[in-house]
Amino acid sequence: MADSPTTTARPIASIRARTLQLTPPRWVAFCRGAAPIVIGVALAVLLQFYANRWFGGYREKILIDIGINIILAVSLNIVNGYTGQFSIGHAGFMAVGAYTAGFIMYYGSFWLFGDTQFHGGILSATTDPRGLHGPGFSGGDLLFPAALIAGGLVAALFGFIVGLPSLRLRGDYLAIVTLGFGEIVRVVIETTGTVLAGDEIGGQPWYRLLNRVGGPMGFGGLPIYASSFWVWVCVAATVLAAYRIKASTMGRAFLAVRENEIAAASLGVPITRYKVRAFVIAAFFAGVAGGLFAHEIGNMLNAGELGFLKSFDIIIMVVLGGMGSISGAVVAAIVLTILPEALRSVSEFRMIAYALLLIVMMIARPQGLLGIHEMWDLPYFRRRRTGGKTA
Amino acid sequence: MTTFLQTLMDAISVGSLYALIALGYTMVYGVLRFINFAHGDVFMLGAWFSFWVTTKFGWAGEGAHPSIPRALTVMAIAMALCGLLGYLIERLAYRPLRFAPRLNVLITAIGVSLLLQNTGQLKYVFGTENQRMPTLLPATTLATVAGVNITLIDVIIVAGSLVLMGVLDRLVYRSRMGMAMRAVAFDPHTASLMGVNVNRTVSATFVAGSMLAAAAGFLYATKYPNLNQPAFSTWTLLGLKAFIAAVVGGIGNIRGAMVGGLLIGLIEQFGVAYSAPLSHGYITGEFKEIYVFALLILVLLVKPSGILGRLTVEKV
């Protein structure tokens, strides 16, 4: 680039002038920053109103599954990919978020609206027909995002607690602690009592209800709020946050920790603080994904389902897509959600295929398909972007 | 008092099984410095191979009658099969990654673990049904001390574990192969310069560890004859607890694994027996897993090298 004719033809007065010349006007910068959010929300609105009409109910549900898996894979990528730690308890954070959000939506609905039914409006509607003749905007549309964020925050608190031992642990030990955390969450949830029905809740203090989340039978009766709109808004927020983090100072520190902890520490990167931060951020998004999962159509929230195997599913997405690549994780999440649906007839071989894939991948291409790169960093896309010239 | 002694008896018998499995984790960690996640699944397959051999020989159903020679035969065959399996795992999955970063080896180990579980539960292999292990040892009670029955099975488990641990201790500290193992554990490069065949030594370590796991699997199946299907989470948890035993005792340290196994057995069994009575029913026996993981986190925070382990400094 430096010796291309356009830049050398004009003499540069000073570095400052050149910087100003390269800096876009403020409004352009603002639009560039806001564009992903606007596009994401627009896409979510579009899917909310047209996904069912275009693809049908079953495919809309698959799209929602894909969205939730993208959030999980991209968030786990922050810990496993960027920071090089190894968490196998991601489903545990998901369970924490799912039960927190479920608790708020079920019992909170009762306190606010008088019963535990669905109270959402046009944005949360998942049944057909939707559109301008739908129920409009309703209180549930505010309660649900609040519950998702609360689920994320509680999960993030647990992420902080799990991240703390990483002060002393590295690699394999940390993996065991996260696995143990996931199991502890499952065991504790399974010791809780049955869910109270609507007419039994009245008069009970809130702390009495904390252990009424279903136990081994699962948290039944949760209202269905996870519409295409909420799922894809969360996907947009997660992907954008992951991308911004990767490009920020924090992201550079994460990558430094991953490449060599001792070198990073000797260059003044507080490695413990960054590891804990990675855990907290990843746990927050896993909690949000859990909240969406709990209120998805056709799902029954059950702690038994959010065990090792769910965590492994997410790990496989991250490893396959590339440790540290956001677009890789997104593509892997899409492929690995559609594939089991397409191969339902040979489903007993699914986990065997995953396991072989993991082993072969580690031997043949240990950094994953894309490694740390994004899809648009590939030579193929590069060449097209720079108009045939190689950068 | 009777409850206490009975719990103690169970704890020693379960603890010696944990110790047997923990030995495999600790030996592999000592030599290759990574957690062989698939070891718990080798233990699971040891139990299932025992079941398979017993039914193949027609020693189930009509032809079943308890006898010690039969039990020994089944155990020997299960150990041989698992030893072969351990060799194959090391040869095919881990050897290509001998000099790869540890994270990659860890992911491979998880892959191997998933592969073993899910191959095991195929309908052409062991299927997804729970099975009942045929009785191979007579359910006789040898003695009753203070109301506690000392059964033959418990005695055999404890005695068998002690014998196997003795053999292993001799193998590691008194034989040429053991000297090679300790040399490779100390420094693989120098060991290979001194003429130690590193590949063969690592293979031997895997085979020995897998055979111990198979023996533990057999003994487990005789004590708890209701075998869960291969991919059931009970097996993963058992493997994890054995791994925790290895860490608590000091990973890489053979005698530490034995101490850690017994400790985990004690915590788990006393947790099951006394949680509910001591907390007036607020905490149930389900919490035993939580105690074990809490112990792990405590040990890692207070003395990360384990009870009998020595501290190693990470060098640049």
Side-chain angles (χ1 to χ4, degrees):
Chain A
M1 284 301 280
D3 54 355
S4 70
T6 46
T7 44
T8 43
R10 210 181 316 156
I12 301 163
S14 67
I15 292 176
R16 190 180 151 72
R18 178 71 181 139
T19 315
L20 281 175
Q21 198 183 339
L22 284 175
T23 312
R26 191 164 280 177
W27 67 272
V28 173
F30 177 80
C31 287
R32 260 190 214 163
I37 306 170
V38 173
I39 294 173
V41 172
L43 185 75
V45 170
L46 200 69
L47 281 171
Q48 169 69 2
F49 293 118
Y50 289 100
N52 202 314
R53 214 170 291 169
W54 290 343
F55 309 118
Y58 172 68
R59 288 194 183 150
E60 192 190 8
K61 153 121 173 114
I62 304 280
L63 271 178
I64 289 177
D65 280 339
I66 288 176
I68 293 176
N69 281 336
I70 289 176
I71 301 176
L72 289 169
V74 170
S75 61
L76 184 65
N77 209 351
I78 295 174
V79 175
N80 287 20
Y82 300 179
T83 321
Q85 305 304 301
F86 201 69
S87 165
I88 10 183
H90 213 53
F93 298 119
M94 196 182 158
V96 169
Y99 275 87
T100 308
F103 180 84
I104 292 174
M105 289 315 289
Y106 189 83
Y107 294 112
S109 279
F110 179 82
W111 291 318
L112 290 175
F113 310 125
D115 63 45
T116 59
Q117 302 301 311
F118 177 76
H119 285 279
I122 211 165
L123 295 179
S124 313
T126 48
T127 45
D128 217 40
R130 266 164 274 171
L132 296 176
H133 305 290
F137 194 78
S138 177
D141 289 338
L142 285 177
L143 186 61
F144 187 57
L148 286 182
I149 291 170
L153 288 178
V154 175
L157 180 70
F158 278 89
F160 180 71
I161 295 168
V162 174
L164 274 187
S166 64
L167 187 71
R168 299 287 293 264
L169 313 178
R170 56 182 46 138
D172 346 19
Y173 289 111
L174 188 63
I176 294 289
V177 170
T178 55
L179 188 57
F181 162 75
E183 276 310 288
I184 289 176
V185 167
R186 186 180 63 80
V187 170
V188 170
I189 289 174
E190 285 188 346
T191 53
T192 57
T194 50
V195 181
L196 294 183
D199 51 347
E200 298 167 317
I201 303 174
Q204 297 270 13
W206 66 273
Y207 51 86
R208 280 277 181 76
L209 298 172
L210 280 180
N211 70 341
R212 307 294 277 184
V213 291
M217 304 297 294
F219 200 156
L222 287 177
I224 307 297
Y225 273 91
S227 61
S228 286
F229 175 76
W230 291 121
V231 170
W232 288 96
V233 163
C234 292
V235 170
T238 311
V239 172
L240 188 65
Y243 187 72
R244 288 287 175 85
I245 287 170
K246 192 179 177 185
S248 70
T249 317
M250 187 157 56
R252 299 288 150 188
F254 285 163
L255 292 173
V257 171
R258 157 191 146 137
E259 292 304 328
N260 191 330
E261 280 186 22
I262 297 172
S266 59
L267 286 173
V269 175
I271 50 176
T272 306
R273 190 184 301 168
Y274 279 112
K275 283 190 207 169
V276 174
R277 247 184 230 184
F279 262 100
V280 169
I281 295 168
F284 175 82
F285 288 114
V288 171
L292 291 169
F293 177 85
H295 300 88
E296 192 189 341
I297 194 161
N299 277 2
M300 166 81 166
L301 178 56
N302 193 332
E305 271 181 35
L306 302 178
F308 308 129
L309 282 180
K310 186 73 191 168
S311 297
F312 286 141
D313 274 352
I314 310 168
I315 288 171
I316 291 165
M317 288 171 196
V318 172
V319 171
L320 183 76
M323 310 274 269
S325 166
I326 299 165
S327 45
V330 170
V331 171
I334 295 172
V335 171
L336 291 182
T337 317
I338 295 176
L339 217 58
E341 296 293 332
L343 302 177
R344 222 159 242 281
S345 53
V346 286
S347 61
E348 60 179 328
F349 292 103
R350 181 177 74 106
M351 287 313 287
I352 297 182
Y354 280 12
L356 285 174
L357 195 66
L358 268 188
I359 300 170
V360 171
M361 202 72 183
M362 281 301 113
I363 295 173
R365 194 170 164 80
Q367 69 273 47
L369 279 183
L370 288 177
I372 197 174
H373 305 293
E374 298 302 339
M375 201 158 270
W376 45 90
D377 291 339
L378 292 179
Y380 174 74
F381 289 97
R382 279 239 140 141
R383 224 175 296 131
R384 292 184 53 167
R385 232 169 26 155
T386 50
K389 279 176 288 183
T390 43
Chain B
M1 193 61 193
T2 313
T3 325
F4 179 81
L5 285 177
Q6 184 66 54
T7 314
L8 190 67
M9 183 71 218
D10 285 339
I12 292 173
S13 127
V14 174
S16 44
L17 288 182
Y18 282 138
L20 271 185
I21 313 170
L23 284 171
Y25 279 111
T26 216
M27 283 167 68
V28 168
Y29 191 90
V31 172
L32 288 181
R33 309 269 159 222
F34 85 95
I35 299 170
N36 180 13
F37 259 99
H39 191 68
D41 303 285
V42 174
F43 157 72
M44 174 273 290
L45 286 176
W48 273 94
F49 280 145
S50 308
F51 167 77
W52 180 73
V53 170
T54 319
T55 45
K56 273 282 166 237
F57 282 168
W59 294 344
E62 292 291 305
H65 77 85
S67 86
I68 289 180
R70 282 187 177 185
L72 284 177
T73 318
V74 170
M75 186 163 106
I77 295 176
M79 283 171 80
L81 286 173
C82 281
L84 181 69
L85 187 70
Y87 172 77
L88 288 177
I89 291 171
E90 194 276 327
R91 183 71 192 82
L92 298 177
Y94 298 147
R95 196 176 291 179
L97 291 167
R98 186 68 56 80
F99 301 105
R102 275 160 58 166
L103 195 61
N104 297 350
V105 191
L106 187 68
I107 296 173
T108 313
I110 290 174
V112 174
S113 161
L114 285 176
L115 183 69
L116 293 184
Q117 285 177 14
N118 288 286
T119 313
Q121 70 158 356
L122 282 179
K123 59 173 176 276
Y124 322 101
V125 189
F126 297 124
T128 49
E129 301 288 314
N130 291 3
Q131 298 283 0
R132 199 172 169 77
M133 177 80 186
T135 320
L136 282 173
L137 292 171
T140 42
T141 302
L142 295 179
T144 306
V145 181
V148 177
N149 294 331
I150 300 177
T151 60
L152 181 67
I153 291 178
D154 280 337
V155 170
I156 287 185
I157 286 178
V158 175
S161 308
L162 284 178
V163 168
L164 286 168
M165 287 181 215
V167 170
L168 184 78
D169 206 76
R170 240 192 119 66
L171 174 78
V172 173
Y173 290 103
R174 297 272 186 279
S175 75
R176 271 179 79 82
M177 184 47 92
M179 197 192 279
M181 281 178 190
R182 283 178 290 139
V184 172
F186 195 77
D187 187 338
H189 294 286
T190 316
S192 73
L193 287 177
M194 299 295 152
V196 175
N197 186 339
V198 175
N199 280 338
R200 211 175 63 194
T201 311
V202 171
S203 293
T205 312
F206 268 85
V207 170
S210 303
M211 286 172 82
L212 288 181
F218 169 78
L219 294 172
Y220 182 84
T222 47
K223 186 166 168 67
Y224 303 102
N226 201 1
L227 294 184
N228 282 308
Q229 62 122 323
F232 203 71
S233 61
T234 329
W235 296 111
T236 321
L237 271 178
L238 280 168
L240 266 183
K241 278 187 268 182
F243 167 73
I244 293 173
V247 175
V248 167
I251 195 143
N253 183 318
I254 287 178
R255 283 160 198 172
M258 302 177 193
V259 175
L262 279 181
L263 195 60
I264 297 289
L266 285 171
I267 287 175
E268 188 193 274
Q269 293 301 318
F270 278 93
V272 171
Y274 285 96
S275 282
L278 288 183
S279 65
H280 301 285
Y282 278 110
I283 301 175
T284 58
E286 289 281 300
F287 275 62
K288 64 180 180 179
E289 328 285 6
I290 297 181
Y291 302 145
V292 175
F293 280 109
L295 175 77
L296 170 76
I297 293 172
L298 193 74
V299 167
L300 287 176
L301 289 178
V302 177
K303 195 170 186 300
S305 51
I307 295 172
L308 295 183
R310 275 180 307 137
L311 197 67
T312 51
V313 179
E314 184 119 344
K315 280 173 278 186
V316 181

